Amino acid sequence: MTTLEQLSEAVGAGKAKDAKALTQRALDEGARPGDIVDKALVPAMAEVGERFKRNEIFVPEMLIAARAMKEAMNLLEPHLVAAGITPKYTAVIGTVQGDLHDIGKNLVVVMWKGANFRVVDLGTNVPPAKFVSAIQEHRPQLVGLSALLTTTMPAMVETVRIIRTSGCPPVKVMVGGAPITQQFANEIGADGYAADAGSAVDKARALVGAA
Amino acid sequence: MNVGLIQLVTPDGCHDVSMTASELALPLSELLAHRGFPLNTRCGGRGLCAGCEVELRTGALRCLGDDTPPPAGASGRIKACQARAGAGPVTVEIPARSLQNHEPAVVSEFRINIPWARDPLVPGARVGAAVDIGTTTVALLLCDLATGKVLAEASAFNAQIRFGEDVLTRIQLCSTDPGAVARLQRVVVDETINPLLAEACNRAGIGLADVGAMTVAANTTMLHLLAGVDPTPMGVHPFRAAFLEHRQYAPRELGLRFGGDTAEVHLLPGPAAYIGADLAAGMVATGLLYDDGPALLVDVGTNGEIIAKVGDQLIGCATAAGPAFEGAGLTSGTRAVQGAIERVQLQSEPFAAKLGIIGGVAVPLGICGSAYVDFLWEARRTGILQTTGRFTDAFCVRAGDHVQRDIHGRKLRLHPRGASGPIWVSEVDIARLLQAKAAIAAGMVTLLSLLSVVPGDVKTLYLAGGFGLHLSLEHAIGCGLLPGLAVNQIQMVGNTSLGGAFLALQDRSLLDEMIAASKTMKAIELNLQPGFENAYIDHLALP
Ligand code: B12
Ligand code: FES
């Protein structure tokens, strides 16, 4: 097996330490950072997403795989920046104001990175104005909003409303989080909803026209 | 005039329910609650859980807003909170898991580890009532204040459940509906506490007028709702409570019906918005407060509170584990009530499950938390489960039709004929249990590491809450719920919230201790702890 194949397998199996070591080895062997992403990480995360959709793995296994992917990305990101490699699509994401949960959102971040999006993560407890200024600054095609609490669903409504009326460049809005439903997404005028990080990738690609 | 008729099929038979014209627009779940068949409306009737699912046998139901038929879920069942009955006759089956069961199991068992004085909080009162208001269950006991003897006990589900199963759903209701605080206040007092008090007095052979004192321990949200104080600020960051301090009322101020002019109600103090008076009571009753440690108090419930003490450092957190260990949201999950499977022993070849059922009944209702803990450990031990929580392929091959597959994945049949069909444990159930387990384990590990203590150094872990006193500690450790601990480090203490309320009634100095404990304890925000997310992911696997 080549290093890239081994890396792909380590990420799929959620072996974070191996994933980090193999990424380093690939770099040492002279692999191009862009190739490591395209040939090892993207297929590995695509496979994880597929298996999730087929109910062959669940959230726990996906979180473990995503952590391995994150280790690899942490090593690669400086190299990618240095090499001037920027993915075609950009997404801004954050947990809405009042809410501090981010494990699910972080998983979406990794999956989107795994699908070759540039992801700007605004963190948790993000006020609507911060989303607006990030949209103005980064010109993303996509904005993701996460809420895990029944009580912060109204903040999601408010954030969508402010993004829509702020006069910032047009952008697709996608929402998610355990209490969110497709119906709620429709009601608040979001462009998309995904129940999990696996379908979040398909939905995101469809929304930006990459599918 | 009656305009509609529903025939109900429940595990104990058929019932006819008639409707008046004004009731035709009501959600079916509300109509059924009015007629004495309350469902497990966990999300407060917002269509988000599956607690209210019913099966349509004959006839037609309608959507709430229009006349179209309501969509059936993957299981073919319909959410009763999203449907209403039309004028035509219908037959609806309520499976056991959707029916709210009104007999909570033993919730009044607790262990007290400290000595106490006979110096009643309310001098002159003859009898006192100690109350623990849980989000789900309310327990009450009467105590003879002259002798310290327990006279009677009673418990029931918190009638507020129909407004939402967890505290946040009830908080959300208060933040959107100006009348909700008063309504929730009346519901818990009129429908739960007053009836329990009357029942206990009846059993003790005393009058309501003889009760002169009441102490109440509960989580912070429940205390707000009892006092009629709006809990809205607790629902979003920075999650602030309107009050945490000890409060005193006259019974009639809260609508409580007992005692005379001198009777008093005391709401016990708590440390933080999500670490309430129930934990302050527990810190005193278990003696954690006087323990140099390293010691832990772990309450395995929806909130999953953990308190750690080392020397004079006292810190605590809420891990928000969710209700999986209370049986909620699982295929055949149930609370620890009569008829629940509470113990499980497994054999892999050939597959066999030996089940212990509460009350020894023949037809089990479902599986409760302690049995899920057994299951996780037993299934790992016998090679049925992988560390990921998936059934092993080898087992699936030899298990024959004990293992079946549906659109959500695989599931294992533990019993062929429960009160509403076979009793299953699915891989999705296991994934939910693993998430709850991981939250508690990660919270514990994170707190200990803040105090530079490893689990092996813990002198005593006081295990309180939902499981009562009937959990297998070997299995709780074996499935990774309490990582790194050994059985001899753990003491089961039961409902220490009620235990603490009972103590405060009899020894006024212990109220001061609870006040001190609440002030001393430092609440740790787990989301600000860099290690928590990693520990959570680590602990998702089975050992
Ligand atoms: C971990 C956790 C915490 C951690 C958060 C750590 C962190 N850094 O995020 C801590 C302990 C800090 C926490 C705190 C609280 N929590 Co909490 N928490 C949980 C828990 C156990 C797991 C959540 C999780 O991470 N799941 C795993 C991830 C992968 O799943 P997920 O978030 O749903 O994300 C998936 C999808 O929803 C989707 N998705 C998510 N975001 C997005 C965004 C987009 C754009 C898209 C497309 C998709 C998407 O994709 C993800 C992957 O598939 C749940 C209970 C449970 N078992 O689910 C409670 C839970 C969410 N918490 C709850 C509560 C109430 C709280 C508190 C308010 C009170 C408390 N009990 O302590 C506090 C808040 C105070 C505070 N200081 O933050 C409740 C919410 C109840 C309700 N009705 O709203 C829950 C459900 C537990 C419960 N039943 O009581 N919590
Ligand atoms: S779905 Fe009906 S009460 Fe939750």
Side-chain angles (χ1 to χ4, degrees), chain B residues 29 40-53 79-82:
Chain B
S29 52
N40 287 316
T41 46
R42 276 183 224 124
C43 69
R46 290 175 306 135
L48 296 175
C49 69
C52 65
E53 279 184 347
K79 292 182 172 176
C81 69
Q82 303 297 311

Side-chain angles (χ1 to χ4, degrees), chain A residues 68-189:
Chain A
M69 156 90 184
K70 208 156 91 187
E71 288 288 343
M73 277 312 272
N74 285 347
L75 264 182
L76 285 173
E77 261 164 0
H79 294 276
L80 292 168
V81 173
I85 297 172
T86 37
K88 195 161 161 210
Y89 301 107
T90 298
V92 163
I93 193 170
T95 303
V96 299
Q97 188 157 34
D99 203 322
L100 301 173
H101 290 82
D102 65 357
I103 297 175
K105 180 215 65 187
N106 295 347
L107 187 53
V108 175
V109 169
V110 174
M111 293 303 288
W112 281 357
K113 284 187 179 170
N116 230 341
F117 278 69
R118 180 170 83 98
V119 185
V120 180
D121 184 354
L122 303 179
T124 61
N125 190 21
V126 181
K130 199 163 156 196
F131 277 106
V132 170
S133 61
I135 294 167
Q136 277 155 350
E137 184 185 339
H138 300 285
R139 306 270 156 167
Q141 288 76 28
L142 186 67
V143 177
L145 310 181
S146 180
L148 261 282
L149 298 173
T150 312
T151 44
T152 52
M153 290 166 70
M156 189 176 259
V157 184
E158 187 63 5
T159 309
V160 174
R161 193 185 64 79
I162 291 180
I163 291 175
R164 297 293 191 215
T165 54
S166 63
C168 61
V171 66
K172 300 282 185 193
V173 179
M174 221 175 131
V175 295
I180 310 301
T181 58
Q182 180 67 55
Q183 193 192 340
F184 180 76
N186 297 346
E187 277 167 24
I188 70 174

